[in-house]
Amino acid sequence: MTCGTAMETDEVGPGSALSAADRQEVLDGLRQQPKTLSPKFFYDERGSRLFEQITELPEYYPTRTELSIMRENIEEIVGLVGPQASLIEFGSGSSMKTRILLEHLDRLAAYVPVDISRDHLTAAAETLAADFPQIEVLPLAVDFTRPFDLPKPKVMPLRNIVYFPGSTIGNFMPSAAQALLEVMYEEANEDGALLIGVDLKKDPAVLETAYNDSAGVTARFNLNMLRRLNNELSANFDLEKFRHLAVYREEPGRIEMHLVSTSAQAVTVAGERFQFEEGESIRTECSHKYTLKEFEAMAERAGFSVHRVWTDRERLFSVQYCLRR
Ligand code: SAH
Ligand code: AVI
């Protein structure tokens, strides 16, 4: 059993400050009109825990739907993956869904969970390594949008299977999503594949309810980004003066999450002053929803062919197995 956190040159380091590159990204985003911040900044330890709570909300259908699709089709998935693969998961979080794969896949060579939320990743990997002592667990605390090297397992894998559940692909703009799929194409090496969760277009009311839960957890998750910038970039956001907004935009086909300033105000971030009008917002997340056709076209542009698609009866969510062409 191995469970050391592999480190990279552009690593997500320990401690409580954002890296210089992240600081620059935050400032660049706030200088834009409209102001934006990357959703990757949601995930400090508190943000990761709030996301876990979101996955259990009655309104948030994606997690339970994806889980049920995985459970129903696990035998077929095991057959497609074959023996002695290395499983590389992008944005692994607590690796909760991955347990189904770890329990069923045939003699995994290694499991490599990749996540930006370092402490959360380390805790999840330690638990998994204890629960699956026969599997080499090699966590990698990096930002997967920047170049990184995969750790080498002790057992030579027969193929690399990239796993990207949760429809985290939807959190990227279409061009960035395609670029990320191209990275996954490279990681999946010659005989490998991509197993990906993709949320589907549906009644906007269902979507808006999923991102505006009645218990206010999604609002706390959204506002946590400002708390994080206060802690890690010496910002002075007053959390009482911003409110959560999530709306579905038909044309780009995505839920947008915003933090709306409830008054005219000035905020300082890393020494720079930003002015907000009353009602002006920071866009913190886009969550794109795809038709099966739209996702297939994007996967093909990245070099994949969609080999198998599983959905639930209501066609809310899909799990797709993509081969390198
Ligand atoms: N895969 C889990 C968690 C999804 S939440 C699930 O399906 O439920 C999205 C995860 O991606 C979080 O754990 C977050 O920390 C991680 N993440 C987001 N952006 C990232 C980035 N740029 N690099 C690495 N991890 C990232
Ligand atoms: C991680 N990601 C796919 C989630 C989503 O649905 O876009 C993040 C999230 N944002 C609000 N609720 C959940």
Side-chain angles (χ1 to χ4, degrees), residues 8-260:
E8 294 291 318
T9 42
D10 199 19
E11 71 196 33
V12 182
S16 60
L18 286 173
S19 69
D22 284 339
R23 174 177 174 276
Q24 195 55 49
E25 212 177 313
V26 167
L27 293 175
D28 288 346
L30 291 175
R31 284 175 196 146
Q32 275 179 36
Q33 222 35 266
K35 295 177 172 68
T36 58
L37 286 168
S38 165
K40 73 182 176 189
F41 297 121
F42 283 136
Y43 300 98
D44 60 358
E45 180 57 27
R46 185 169 184 271
S48 294
R49 274 189 278 115
L50 283 165
F51 178 74
E52 307 270 289
Q53 289 177 32
I54 288 175
T55 64
E56 286 167 14
L57 294 168
E59 295 96 334
Y60 194 73
Y61 64 86
T63 306
R64 65 171 176 277
T65 310
E66 185 175 21
L67 267 170
S68 74
I69 295 170
M70 291 295 289
R71 285 197 190 104
E72 266 174 40
N73 299 287
I74 188 63
E75 277 176 27
E76 195 182 349
I77 293 171
V78 169
L80 288 169
V81 169
Q84 211 178 305
S86 178
L87 187 68
I88 301 150
E89 180 171 357
F90 279 56
S92 49
S94 66
S95 300
M96 193 261 286
K97 289 168 196 156
T98 324
R99 285 178 170 266
I100 306 174
L101 292 170
L102 300 183
E103 279 161 12
H104 290 87
L105 289 178
D106 184 11
R107 289 164 289 141
L108 263 189
Y111 170 52
V112 183
V114 182
D115 205 286
I116 202 166
S117 189
R118 170 179 251 281
D119 293 348
H120 202 69
L121 170 71
T122 305
E126 279 170 3
T127 308
L128 285 179
D131 291 349
F132 297 91
Q134 75 284 12
I135 299 173
E136 191 181 17
V137 180
L138 293 167
L140 197 54
V142 294
D143 177 344
F144 57 55
T145 61
R146 299 188 180 144
F148 65 93
D149 291 324
L150 286 175
K152 290 225 173 350
K154 287 188 201 126
V155 174
M156 177 71 105
L158 295 182
R159 65 191 64 80
N160 286 347
I161 303 296
V162 174
Y163 184 40
F164 196 29
S167 202
T168 302
I169 191 70
N171 295 141
F172 293 84
M173 293 301 175
S175 58
Q178 192 184 314
L180 193 53
L181 291 178
E182 284 165 11
V183 169
M184 294 176 179
Y185 177 90
E186 294 304 325
E187 304 294 12
N189 67 20
E190 224 172 291
D191 291 326
L194 166 69
L195 180 63
I196 185 167
V198 182
D199 199 9
L200 301 176
K201 285 207 161 91
K202 58 183 65 62
D203 178 355
V206 173
L207 288 167
E208 289 193 347
T209 305
Y211 292 82
N212 287 291
D213 65 279
S214 57
V217 183
T218 311
R220 287 202 286 285
F221 174 70
N222 199 1
L223 282 159
N224 184 58
M225 194 182 296
L226 302 186
R227 183 193 304 267
R228 184 173 187 202
L229 298 186
N230 286 350
N231 292 338
E232 298 189 32
L233 270 189
S234 310
N236 65 351
F237 286 101
D238 180 345
L239 272 61
E240 301 286 307
K241 292 192 177 157
F242 287 86
R243 69 176 172 81
H244 164 75
L245 172 75
V247 285
Y248 185 69
R249 305 252 186 247
E250 198 73 54
E251 176 31 47
R254 67 190 186 209
I255 282 281
E256 288 185 8
M257 293 213 313
H258 292 254
L259 288 165
V260 184

